[in-house]
Amino acid sequence: MNEWSPAPPADYLPIKDHGLIGDGRACALVGRDGTVSFLCVPRFDAPPLFCSLLDRRRGGSFLLAPDGLRLSRQHYVEDTGVLVTELRADAGLVEVTDAFLLQPGARLEVDAPVGAGELLRHARVTQGSVDLRVALRPRGETQAERQPAGWQLTCPQQSVKLHLTTSRPLPGPECTLRLSQGEDLWIRLRWSEPQPGGSGGSVSRRLDDTVRAWRRWSAFVVADTPRPDLVRRSAITLKLLDYAENGAIVAAATSSLPERIGGDRNWDYRYAWIRDAAYTVFALRRIGLPDEAGGFLHWALTAAWRDGRPRVLYDVDGRPPPPEVIDAELEGYRRSAPVRWGNAAAEQVQHDVYGELLDCAFQWAATGRPLSAGLWYRLSGLAEQARTAWRTPGHGIWEVRTQARPFTYSAAMCQVALDRAARLATRLNLPGSAATWAAEARRLAGRIIHDAWDERAQSFTEHLGATGGLDASLLALPLRRVLPADHPRMIATTRAIAERLGAGNGLLYRYLPQDSPDGLDQPEGAFLLCSFWLVDNLAGQGRTDEAAELFEKLCSYAGPLGLLAEQIDPRDHSFRGNFPQALSHVGLLSSAVVLARAERGMRPELSTHAWFR
């Protein structure tokens, strides 16, 4: 059980003091003060219904908490996405359970709609008596109308109608109730048409069904690894970001949480990046969850084929996201403006997407799943594009907002695309230029080894031609089997990254803006994924004890609920960037598997499937 923490500040809660709940269509952040502070309905990338996390006065929120709050803490119901917040007031203790209700009989392990578009909040007084505050305040102008079963709220800004039903009559969407020990309040908030059955008992059964559905899915997780508790929580968190309708996986639950307080590195991550989603399904496959890969692969290739070339990111329907705009009404988290909706990176050229898609298909097929003729036609077309794409400058994995450049990581992922296409064609006897792809993959790997090497710096550089600064994305080259972790030049590069990009206490910056201009000219936090990549490289070089020590250090940065943000502020270890961040949890999962193999005396490679031998 997590420790009690003092009453939250009147300003903004620390990012780590939030839990994530969801249903495969939408998700919400719930703070340890009893506030739902971020929720977009009816799906991840819709206009926000609540976003007080970005403006505590104007953002909108849903509070359920006692007056006189003194202490609070949170925990998840074990192996589920159901969250419990305990709130201790002057004269009593309230336990609030929050969940998105799943449909009766829902099975999260199949690609099917599982959510009902319904948030359940259950407050139960376990000690003493409290004055329980209920405050439902959607963002923007709202019209409230009493209904026989509760209240209906019309929200023009979000184009939704909310249905609020409760086990006790409420005089309005904002009110205070006096409750004593043993008494409770059930609240259901729906953004679809209400269904029959609003009594406390029936809702209790629905909550039990939701817990069972989560535990059925969690039972598939293989967590015979270091820190199995965080591995299981990471898997559940990634599933909460998985769009059940089609397999799209969003990068994070939020928009515009700052990478630096007071800075403007604030981006909208509520979309599906090809790269992030490919890493996610690969990590899930390694812990016993292969089915998510199939949904993502078909979604991604359908989306990529619409434009004739794969984009960097899409909305959950597989279409370009809306144009990036600044929301001048909101002040931003801790007054870190601007708040952005939409993401202009969708228009960038990033060549790593070819490798992400082909590698995902390779891992899918390697587990015995079929590749249809239509799917292979699209994949082989991407391999052909990769043959020349690497020569064209792009904006790279970090989506710099400067002039396009020939990034080493982008060329490496084009090499991955060619290599995986050749292996697929050979293993499955598929049509295509397998011999040509294989030969070009070998030549491109050689060019990376020689053309990206800086003899003076004794490391690879971020650009082909041995120019530019040092880039932590180079740590991913062994993970994608472009070259082995124990290659002498990779060992030297690993050492250089640890020394020159180190932020202290095991943390790494992804690059230094003064050496690698990104168009923003501002510092940022340390990027968690890069530190997990360092764990994998150390293990691959036989430095297992160092890798295990670093892994434990990184795990210590997880919040009280086991959740991770995109970045860590090296000064005070507070969370920075959008939250929870899929790639950070992917890094934890992958490093746990790598270490488990290393500690058993096995080769700690990202993939040891026979298709690579």
Side-chain angles (χ1 to χ4, degrees):
M1 181 69 69
N2 292 325
E3 297 294 326
W4 290 99
S5 296
D11 197 16
Y12 289 91
L13 268 179
I15 295 171
K16 69 178 182 179
D17 286 345
H18 295 82
L20 180 71
I21 58 175
D23 67 353
R25 286 196 182 112
C27 61
L29 292 187
V30 184
R32 68 172 179 86
D33 60 353
T35 300
V36 180
S37 59
F38 200 92
L39 170 62
C40 301
V41 298
R43 62 186 211 178
F44 299 117
D45 55 4
L49 184 66
F50 310 129
C51 61
S52 61
L53 192 61
L54 300 176
D55 192 310
R56 62 189 179 89
R57 293 171 299 162
R58 294 183 291 265
S61 62
F62 186 3
L63 173 69
L64 185 59
D67 281 337
L69 179 63
R70 294 194 293 110
L71 299 168
S72 66
R73 63 183 179 181
Q74 291 181 302
H75 69 272
Y76 279 106
V77 176
E78 187 176 5
D79 291 338
T80 76
V82 178
L83 182 67
V84 178
T85 305
E86 294 179 273
L87 303 141
R88 185 175 294 280
D90 295 327
L93 177 63
V94 180
E95 182 181 89
V96 176
T97 301
D98 286 300
F100 279 45
L101 291 180
L102 303 180
Q103 293 175 355
R107 302 190 66 84
L108 283 77
E109 64 271 23
V110 298
D111 292 324
V114 295
E118 180 174 3
L119 169 64
L120 171 70
R121 311 203 73 188
H122 175 221
R124 180 171 64 94
V125 180
T126 58
Q127 294 178 16
S129 298
V130 301
D131 290 321
L132 185 68
R133 295 173 57 208
V134 180
L136 175 61
R137 301 168 181 164
R139 184 187 180 191
E141 295 293 329
T142 303
Q143 296 175 338
E145 179 182 351
R146 187 183 291 276
Q147 300 286 316
W151 290 86
Q152 176 178 284
L153 286 79
T154 301
C155 307
Q157 188 164 340
Q158 296 83 9
S159 300
V160 296
K161 286 188 176 181
L162 303 177
H163 305 277
L164 182 71
T165 58
T166 59
S167 58
R168 296 170 178 266
L170 297 185
E174 296 188 43
C175 62
T176 300
L177 298 178
R178 183 71 175 176
L179 296 178
S180 299
Q181 184 171 334
E183 296 182 319
D184 63 1
L185 173 67
W186 294 85
I187 301 178
R188 301 171 67 180
L189 181 68
R190 294 183 57 92
W191 39 93
S192 56
E193 288 302 314
Q195 297 178 353
S199 68
S202 64
V203 182
S204 176
R205 287 194 296 271
R206 290 285 306 281
L207 179 59
D208 290 342
D209 288 343
T210 297
V211 168
R212 280 191 289 270
W214 275 110
R215 287 179 170 165
R216 278 196 303 267
W217 183 83
S218 299
F220 289 96
V221 176
V222 177
D224 186 14
T225 64
R227 294 305 304 263
D229 56 331
L230 290 181
V231 167
R232 299 183 79 86
R233 181 50 52 194
S234 290
I236 293 169
T237 302
L238 293 173
K239 190 62 177 175
L240 284 165
L241 300 175
D242 183 2
Y243 191 57
E245 297 281 357
N246 55 23
I249 299 172
V250 298
T254 59
S255 173
S256 299
L257 289 181
E259 297 173 9
R260 175 177 177 267
I261 299 300
D264 60 4
R265 290 179 178 269
N266 313 327
W267 316 112
D268 191 349
Y269 276 14
R270 302 168 305 134
Y271 303 108
W273 270 253
I274 295 293
R275 171 178 53 251
D276 297 37
Y279 270 111
T280 299
V281 297
F282 185 53
L284 291 176
R285 185 188 68 79
R286 301 181 75 198
I287 57 169
L289 302 167
D291 291 337
E292 281 71 18
F296 160 73
L297 183 61
H298 285 82
W299 169 84
L301 288 174
T302 299
W305 207 251
R306 286 195 181 105
D307 295 327
R309 69 168 179 87
R311 288 178 179 264
V312 179
L313 67 132
Y314 299 87
D315 70 10
V316 294
D317 282 336
R319 300 184 183 278
E324 183 176 300
V325 296
I326 291 176
D327 191 331
E329 182 178 270
L330 302 180
E331 70 176 13
Y333 176 76
R334 291 181 56 185
R335 288 161 289 283
S336 296
V339 170
R340 291 183 171 94
W341 308 112
N343 198 304
E347 301 302 321
Q348 289 186 352
V349 174
Q350 296 179 28
H351 300 311
D352 66 291
V353 293
Y354 298 106
E356 311 295 359
L357 288 168
L358 265 298
D359 197 38
C360 186
F362 179 84
Q363 301 300 334
W364 171 255
T367 57
R369 268 67 172 185
L371 289 178
S372 66
L375 199 58
W376 174 244
Y377 176 72
R378 297 179 183 183
L379 289 166
S380 60
L382 295 175
E384 285 297 312
Q385 292 181 43
R387 291 176 62 178
T388 57
W390 66 272
R391 302 175 185 274
T392 306
H395 292 88
I397 182 175
W398 308 130
E399 301 177 350
V400 298
R401 299 202 170 193
T402 55
Q403 185 175 357
R405 308 197 289 270
F407 285 97
T408 301
Y409 181 84
S410 298
M413 290 309 296
C414 286
Q415 191 275 345
V416 169
L418 293 165
D419 175 83
R420 305 308 189 264
R423 293 178 187 274
L424 283 168
T426 300
R427 293 284 180 175
L428 300 178
N429 195 28
L430 296 169
S433 308
T436 300
W437 293 332
E440 292 195 6
R442 289 191 295 270
R443 283 195 293 270
L444 185 49
R447 291 201 62 164
I448 291 168
I449 291 171
H450 294 95
D451 292 359
W453 177 254
D454 185 335
E455 185 67 26
R456 179 186 56 81
Q458 284 294 292
S459 70
F460 291 122
T461 62
E462 62 181 338
H463 303 150
L464 294 181
T467 62
L470 196 58
D471 186 339
S473 69
L474 297 167
L475 293 172
L477 269 58
L479 280 58
R480 311 314 288 269
R481 302 186 67 100
V482 178
L483 73 165
D486 56 3
H487 187 287
R489 293 191 170 182
M490 198 62 231
I491 293 175
T493 299
T494 302
R495 183 186 308 115
I497 289 173
E499 292 175 354
R500 288 152 49 190
L501 297 183
N505 295 303
L507 298 170
L508 292 177
Y509 296 111
R510 50 185 177 172
Y511 55 86
L512 301 178
Q514 63 267 30
D515 297 332
S516 306
D518 60 8
L520 296 171
D521 193 31
Q522 292 179 358
E524 61 176 3
F527 206 80
L528 268 175
L529 176 64
C530 298
S531 294
F532 284 116
W533 283 347
L534 180 57
V535 171
D536 299 348
N537 277 264
L538 293 174
Q541 294 166 15
R543 300 159 65 182
T544 306
D545 290 344
E546 292 176 67
E549 182 180 355
L550 176 57
F551 179 75
E552 286 298 327
K553 184 65 177 177
L554 298 176
C555 288
S556 74
Y557 294 126
L561 294 168
L563 303 182
L564 294 168
E566 178 183 26
Q567 299 181 11
I568 300 289
D569 189 326
R571 297 169 297 181
D572 59 8
H573 301 161
S574 58
F575 283 2
R576 295 290 174 260
N578 284 304
F579 173 82
Q581 171 78 3
L583 281 181
S584 296
H585 287 281
V586 165
L588 189 151
L589 286 179
S590 297
S591 292
V593 173
V594 165
L595 283 174
R597 292 185 57 83
E599 291 169 358
R600 296 187 192 109
M602 305 168 68
R603 288 184 61 83
E605 296 171 330
L606 182 68
S607 174
T608 56
H609 198 279
W611 280 25
F612 272 114
R613 296 195 284 272

